[in-house]
Amino acid sequence: MKIGWVDFSKEQRGKVLSVLKLLSEPGALDELGIGIIRDGFADILFPGTSTIQTRAKYFFIVPYIMLEIEKQKNIKPHEFLSLLDQKEVELIDILDKDGAEGVIGVDAREKLKRKPSSIYWNALKTYGFFANQGLTLSEYAKVFCTVRDNSQKIRNAGNSKRNSEEAADDADSVNGMFNFWRVPIPAPNWREDLTIDLAKEEAVSLKQKITTMPNTKDSLLALILRDNRADFCNYNSFNDLDTLLPAMPEMMKNDYILARNFAQFIYGAQIRYNIIFTKGQEEDVVEQWELWQNNIPKINLEQLFVRLNVRNMNLRHFLKAYQNALINVEELDKLIINREKQLKGASRSKLINENLYQYNGKLINMGKLYYRFYNAQRMVGDILEGLGEGYA
């Protein structure tokens, strides 16, 4: 079922949207401990995405840098990682031109703590750009350096015992076992005309990976790319994905509806949290609560627990109790207060420690769940723009 407020007046709708904006600004905190469910649905619908990814180009920039470093002779693992950090920072100035959006580290520059290689590492494995699923970034550096050293030892041993051609063959066989990267080979001068936009070859490669890899090919993200749904980039919210329901296979449709309904279902708890925190002083939030009560979806929590393999019993108990308490506001508020206390302890609970945490006009920022929808939009837009006319 579609969820919205189309039957209300423009004035009411405006108030609702203003509250939504207040509740969905960046930096949201998981005050009620539902991150397991949020991330579970996001991984199903939009695998390989994360909320701190910016542009699709980094799926290639990171491997290009790695391939350069792999050519360094006698480099040690710590030197590998240090050089990686250096090269990533150096690229900020190259990418930050002509008003480019989404360049990581524009403000922090050399103080940047979370580098693109860290942000995109898991996605590079998910999409099959990096061959070994089990290695962390630091483990990759260690394995590469070890393999490279062993290869050199084989060459040296072969040169002393037999002809160099046979030794080289043995060394190449060792290297071949650890051919880590599955990306287009960059040109030697790939930095010269580098921009944050995907080249066509890169866009084709990324689309192909997402639509064919085992962990992604049956996802909503893959369906959008496979069908070249450029309209997806113009959707205003997660619920606009209702437009794609006729194209979704049955399991995907069930996942999407379950995720959509859960976002609306748990949103009531988020609103009540803010009502408690503000002591009901924020009129718009109170009105939002009244509107939400008219749009509570039915949801099968057992089905949700099975689909996402939710084993956290405290979370399961909270959600069931929350569902049962929706008809009793006093019981509901008590449940929400106890949930935060359980998660954070009494000393850090905002709803208990009124002396430390007082409402100052800013709501506690949780926001309605969107399951990385906007990150997926940005990625799809980059890919379709890279593919060129006829797609974007």
Side-chain angles (χ1 to χ4, degrees):
M1 76 182 190
K2 294 195 75 171
I3 298 169
W5 295 276
V6 294
D7 294 332
F8 294 91
S9 68
K10 289 184 179 179
E11 181 182 359
Q12 286 177 309
R13 184 174 183 273
K15 289 181 178 179
V16 169
L17 293 176
S18 68
V19 175
L20 286 172
K21 184 177 181 181
L22 284 171
L23 290 175
S24 59
E25 292 177 352
L29 300 175
D30 183 16
E31 304 288 348
L32 299 178
I34 57 172
I36 295 172
I37 295 174
R38 176 199 62 210
D39 295 343
F41 277 127
D43 288 340
I44 290 173
L45 299 171
F46 305 118
T49 59
S50 84
T51 57
I52 54 176
Q53 288 175 1
T54 56
R55 302 296 298 273
K57 185 72 172 189
Y58 285 104
F59 285 109
F60 299 92
I61 290 175
V62 172
Y64 293 167
I65 295 174
M66 303 285 197
L67 287 169
E68 277 188 343
I69 298 175
E70 285 187 359
K71 295 177 183 179
Q72 299 284 326
K73 294 182 179 180
N74 302 319
I75 193 170
K76 301 302 180 186
H78 71 279
E79 295 171 333
F80 187 111
L81 296 173
S82 178
L83 186 56
L84 171 61
D85 282 353
Q86 176 187 324
K87 288 178 176 290
E88 288 182 282
V89 171
E90 289 173 353
L91 281 181
I92 295 173
D93 284 335
I94 297 176
L95 292 169
D96 182 26
K97 55 188 176 185
D98 300 326
E101 296 180 359
V103 177
I104 297 174
V106 168
D107 295 325
R109 301 288 170 169
E110 67 277 357
K111 296 181 180 178
L112 179 64
K113 293 181 179 179
R114 194 79 186 270
K115 305 294 194 301
S117 55
S118 172
I119 294 171
Y120 285 79
W121 185 252
N122 286 331
L124 287 167
K125 295 190 290 184
T126 299
Y127 295 160
F129 285 125
F130 185 78
N132 193 305
Q133 294 289 311
L135 295 181
T136 64
L137 179 56
S138 59
E139 288 170 345
Y140 152 63
K142 292 177 183 177
V143 170
F144 168 77
C145 293
T146 299
V147 172
R148 190 267 333 277
D149 291 344
N150 288 341
S151 175
Q152 188 59 49
K153 289 177 182 178
I154 291 174
R155 288 180 184 274
N156 294 339
N159 287 336
S160 63
K161 295 181 179 179
R162 52 188 175 166
N163 67 63
S164 59
E165 184 176 342
E166 291 175 332
D169 287 342
D170 284 348
D172 289 341
S173 69
V174 173
N175 284 330
M177 293 171 61
F178 292 91
N179 183 11
F180 295 103
W181 296 103
R182 306 287 186 271
V183 293
I185 302 300
N189 60 342
W190 63 274
R191 279 179 172 77
E192 290 184 5
D193 299 316
L194 182 66
T195 71
I196 200 66
D197 301 316
L198 289 176
K200 185 169 185 178
E201 182 183 17
E202 294 167 340
V204 169
S205 176
L206 183 52
K207 178 182 177 181
Q208 188 270 338
K209 290 290 188 183
I210 294 173
T211 56
T212 61
M213 290 301 294
N215 294 330
T216 60
K217 63 184 179 65
D218 297 321
S219 67
L220 179 56
L221 179 61
L223 180 147
I224 291 166
L225 287 170
R226 193 177 294 115
D227 293 350
N228 298 313
R229 294 297 301 254
D231 57 323
F232 167 70
C233 299
N234 296 320
Y235 293 169
N236 292 317
S237 71
F238 181 80
N239 284 12
D240 288 346
L241 287 164
D242 281 3
T243 304
L244 297 178
L245 279 169
M248 296 182 194
E250 196 63 25
M251 180 175 287
M252 185 187 298
K253 185 181 299 183
N254 292 339
D255 286 337
Y256 165 67
I257 292 174
L258 191 57
R260 182 197 66 190
N261 287 355
F262 179 78
Q264 178 68 2
F265 169 75
I266 200 64
Y267 190 48
Q270 300 168 232
I271 299 170
R272 286 309 309 177
Y273 184 101
N274 280 279
I275 289 176
I276 299 167
F277 183 65
T278 63
K279 300 184 184 303
Q281 296 175 18
E282 192 64 58
E283 183 179 341
D284 286 345
V285 181
V286 175
E287 289 187 17
Q288 174 67 359
W289 168 252
E290 295 171 356
L291 293 174
W292 178 86
Q293 288 181 302
N294 295 319
N295 292 278
I296 305 174
K298 293 181 179 179
I299 189 165
N300 186 328
L301 289 176
E302 290 298 334
Q303 178 188 0
L304 183 149
F305 298 152
V306 171
R307 180 65 181 103
L308 299 182
N309 192 26
V310 178
R311 298 180 180 181
N312 185 317
M313 297 308 297
N314 287 333
L315 174 58
R316 292 168 66 124
H317 290 154
F318 166 70
L319 291 175
K320 289 179 180 179
Y322 166 68
Q323 188 175 49
N324 293 331
L326 292 178
I327 58 174
N328 187 326
V329 173
E330 184 177 339
E331 182 181 342
L332 179 60
D333 287 356
K334 186 184 300 184
L335 177 69
I336 290 171
I337 292 170
N338 288 336
R339 175 62 176 170
E340 187 192 35
K341 180 180 177 181
Q342 178 190 59
L343 291 171
K344 299 161 64 175
S347 62
R348 296 194 300 121
S349 171
K350 293 182 175 68
L351 300 183
I352 294 177
N353 292 287
E354 297 181 4
N355 293 331
L356 293 177
Y357 304 101
Q358 294 184 355
Y359 176 56
N360 60 1
K362 184 175 181 180
L363 299 175
I364 300 301
N365 191 348
M366 293 180 63
K368 193 170 182 179
L369 300 180
Y370 59 86
Y371 308 110
R372 306 180 206 145
F373 165 79
Y374 300 106
N375 303 89
Q377 266 191 324
R378 176 73 268 186
M379 184 192 299
V380 171
D382 281 352
I383 293 172
L384 296 183
E385 288 172 13
L387 291 173
E389 189 176 353
Y391 294 94

